[in-house]
């Protein structure tokens, strides 16, 4: 059994996967930049791979940082009319990257995998819900089958969740009708494409998971940005709709990023 399998079997929920770091001193991280520097030091020139010790350390570093909107406001860019926006924060060492996602009100991701990568997610503002699904069962007679919901979890501000394909598939949702949510994601290795799944049939389609290198500072001089909103003063909303679609012979789905 690989260390990833051990992590999956030891986890009671994907979002509450507990990593007890064996270091004597807990990290003290006051700013997002300190977090980025600490992650770079912890990762070195490697990807997370199958090293559970490094996975635990990375999670502890993300837990040690307490969200402060002034640290990430320049990356909290939201495209009006989309489900959520993926904003690149840092390229890391090339074997991992950091993204900030801004989630619209009453919006959710499709059920999706992570293309074999590790995903560490920290909630910076608002609340999100996670639904964890088992992988669809393959049948030579009827094709895929309806996805089985394994469990749900509520993610609060500053909570950290870990996800990997060995654990299953998941869907993240902002159930609030009044406020957006903001989350920080570490992906190792980075990826551009993933699979999204139909809950009723289990059929999969390739979807773009690319991030934009766009910040509030980039768009304000063009007059496109509107910093703040009635629900969160640190989110910049721009009027833009960018959807990318990939099709398969099984089904067709659209993912708006």
């Amino acid at each position: 059994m690989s260390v990833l399998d051990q992590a999956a079997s030891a986890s009671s929920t994907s979002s509450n996967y507990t990593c007890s770091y064996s270091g004597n001193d807990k990290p003290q991280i006051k700013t997002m930049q300190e977090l980025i520097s600490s992650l770079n030091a912890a990762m070195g020139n490697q990807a997370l791979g199958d090293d559970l010790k490094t996975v635990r350390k990375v999670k502890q570093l993300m837990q040690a940082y307490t969200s402060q909107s002034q640290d990430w406001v320049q990356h909290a860019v939201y495209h009006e009319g989309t489900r959520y926006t993926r904003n690149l924060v840092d390229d890391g060492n090339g074997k991992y990257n950091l993204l900030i996602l801004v989630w619209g009100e009453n919006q959710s991701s499709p059920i999706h995998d992570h293309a074999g990568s590790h995903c560490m997610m920290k909630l910076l503002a608002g609340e999100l819900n996670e639904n964890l699904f088992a992988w669809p069962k393959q049948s030579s007679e009827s094709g895929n089958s309806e996805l089985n919901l394994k469990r749900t979890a509520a993610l609060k501000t500053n909570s950290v969740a870990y996800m990997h394909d060995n654990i299953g598939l998941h869907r993240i949702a902002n159930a609030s009708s009044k406020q957006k949510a903001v989350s920080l994601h570490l992906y190792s290795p980075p990826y551009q494409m993933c699979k999204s799944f139909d809950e009723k049939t289990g059929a999969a389609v390739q979807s773009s998971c690319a991030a934009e290198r766009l910040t509030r500072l980039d768009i304000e001089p063009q007059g496109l940005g509107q910093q703040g909103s009635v629900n969160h003063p640190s989110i910049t909303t721009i009027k833009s709709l960018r959807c990318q679609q990939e099709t398969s012979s099984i089904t067709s789905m659209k993912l708006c990023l």
Side-chain angles (χ1 to χ4, degrees):
M1 179 182 291
S2 72
V3 290
L4 287 175
D5 291 326
Q6 294 174 34
S9 63
S11 171
S12 59
T13 71
S14 67
S15 61
N16 292 318
Y17 162 49
T18 302
C19 293
S20 56
Y21 177 50
S22 59
N24 294 325
D25 298 320
K26 292 185 178 180
Q28 300 294 320
I29 298 177
K30 297 180 180 179
T31 67
M32 177 78 75
Q33 189 55 52
E34 288 183 13
L35 175 60
I36 293 172
S37 297
S38 297
L39 290 170
N40 281 331
M43 295 290 291
N45 62 355
Q46 303 296 318
L48 281 181
D50 285 348
D51 182 2
L52 184 57
K53 182 178 179 180
T54 305
V55 173
R56 288 173 170 167
K57 185 173 183 179
V58 166
K59 182 172 184 181
Q60 189 184 43
L61 290 172
M62 294 186 73
Q63 289 173 324
Y65 167 67
T66 299
S67 176
Q68 302 177 86
S69 61
Q70 64 266 29
D71 288 343
W72 46 261
V73 57
Q74 69 269 29
H75 298 289
V77 179
Y78 177 70
H79 296 273
E80 185 177 320
T82 63
R83 296 182 180 187
Y84 53 93
T85 307
R86 299 167 62 89
N87 305 288
L88 183 64
V89 176
D90 191 81
D91 285 310
N93 61 9
K95 298 179 180 178
Y96 82 92
N97 61 9
L98 284 172
L99 278 60
I100 278 182
L101 275 64
V102 182
W103 304 80
E105 299 88 339
N106 291 320
Q107 297 296 330
S108 67
S109 72
I111 300 170
H112 62 279
D113 70 358
H114 291 86
S117 292
H118 299 262
C119 171
M120 201 77 72
M121 177 177 73
K122 181 182 183 71
L123 194 55
L124 299 177
E127 297 183 3
L128 292 171
N129 296 323
E130 179 190 37
N131 292 333
L132 177 67
F133 295 86
W135 281 83
K137 296 179 180 179
Q138 298 290 333
S139 171
S140 58
E141 296 181 358
S142 58
N144 294 338
S145 60
E146 182 175 359
L147 297 182
N148 177 38
L149 178 64
K150 298 172 66 175
R151 48 186 172 258
T152 62
L155 308 176
K156 306 294 184 181
T157 300
N158 285 314
S159 62
V160 176
Y162 171 77
M163 188 62 183
H164 189 276
D165 289 348
N166 285 6
I167 297 174
L169 311 170
H170 75 173
R171 175 174 57 208
I172 301 295
N174 177 17
S176 174
S177 61
K178 297 181 179 180
Q179 68 174 12
K180 295 179 175 64
V182 183
S183 53
L184 175 69
H185 298 241
L186 181 150
Y187 297 108
S188 181
Y191 59 94
Q192 299 295 314
M193 301 294 294
C194 63
K195 291 180 181 179
S196 53
F197 294 79
D198 186 287
E199 185 172 358
K200 297 299 182 183
T201 67
V205 61
Q206 291 288 330
S207 299
S208 171
C209 299
E212 290 189 275
R213 192 184 298 271
L214 183 66
T215 72
R216 177 171 58 85
L217 299 179
D218 295 326
I219 63 178
E220 278 190 338
Q222 303 175 35
L224 298 176
Q226 179 184 355
Q227 184 184 1
S229 64
V230 294
N231 54 54
H232 204 292
S234 299
I235 295 174
T236 299
T237 299
I238 63 177
K239 294 182 178 180
S240 175
L241 179 61
R242 301 175 184 181
C243 300
Q244 299 190 25
Q245 182 175 346
E246 294 287 335
T247 59
S248 71
S249 58
I250 302 175
T251 187
S252 173
M253 299 176 66
K254 181 160 50 175
L255 175 61
C256 295
L257 300 177

